[in-house]
Amino acid sequence: MMVIFGIAAFLLNEYRFHAVGKESYILLIVPVILMVIFHLNGRQIFEYDSDGEALNFKNRNIIPFLDRPLHDEFPKYKLIKYEIVSIFFVKRLYITISSKTSGSTILKYEISYLRQKEVNDLKLSLNKVVKTNEEKND
């Protein structure tokens, strides 16, 4: 939305009002830089459901055209391990599940916008599933 307003303000200034001189390019540059940062930080909406016999992960963007949404659902017994990687402002969740064809598959979700309490709840829930799976395998 901000990019559209920036472009509109730039075009109005260039072709109609001439209120700002060469500084009008800032109206283009700043929103584009903010959109790139927004895109690099990852998908904003992360939903997780562990009720029942399946794990359900959804990861999508507020702006639909930036990235396509991710949606994965698989039985709890397929979860092998998980890892949360945090680098500066970017947090990612890596889930390793067992697969018939390749042995294991790694799924990646962006959880940068989760609060620390939500990340702790996610860890607690996934730890329970991993521990249950390890006990069944032994």
Side-chain angles (χ1 to χ4, degrees):
M1 189 65 121
M2 198 162 88
V3 174
I4 293 170
F5 287 136
I7 292 171
F10 173 78
L11 292 175
L12 285 172
N13 181 59
E14 285 292 313
Y15 297 111
R16 179 73 175 151
F17 298 116
H18 305 291
V20 183
K22 294 294 179 187
E23 293 86 15
S24 66
Y25 288 101
I26 292 175
L27 296 171
L28 287 178
I29 294 170
V30 171
V32 168
I33 289 173
L34 289 174
M35 186 155 175
V36 167
I37 291 170
F38 191 69
H39 176 69
L40 291 177
N41 212 15
R43 294 176 178 93
Q44 294 78 35
I45 301 172
F46 177 77
E47 297 172 1
Y48 167 71
D49 182 22
S50 65
D51 295 339
E53 292 296 317
L55 295 173
N56 190 359
F57 294 94
K58 292 181 184 176
N59 205 197
R60 57 190 165 97
N61 231 333
I62 292 174
I63 304 171
F65 64 85
L66 280 182
D67 280 326
R68 61 187 178 105
L70 293 175
H71 179 258
D72 294 311
E73 186 172 350
F74 52 88
K76 286 183 178 180
Y77 67 85
K78 287 191 170 196
L79 180 65
I80 299 172
K81 66 178 181 174
Y82 75 94
E83 181 180 4
I84 295 177
V85 176
S86 180
I87 301 172
F88 297 114
F89 299 108
V90 178
K91 287 186 216 167
R92 294 214 168 114
L93 170 67
Y94 294 96
I95 302 282
T96 305
I97 60 172
S98 61
S99 172
K100 290 180 182 178
T101 57
S102 64
S104 66
T105 303
I106 297 177
L107 305 172
K108 179 178 78 168
Y109 303 100
E110 293 152 355
I111 58 172
S112 300
Y113 292 92
L114 292 181
R115 294 179 306 209
Q116 189 60 39
K117 182 186 181 312
E118 295 170 332
V119 172
N120 289 339
D121 291 343
L122 177 66
K123 286 180 183 179
L124 183 66
S125 178
L126 290 174
N127 277 335
K128 286 181 186 178
V129 175
V130 169
K131 186 175 179 181
T132 303
N133 290 344
E134 287 175 351
E135 288 174 359
K136 286 182 181 179
N137 289 339
D138 290 340

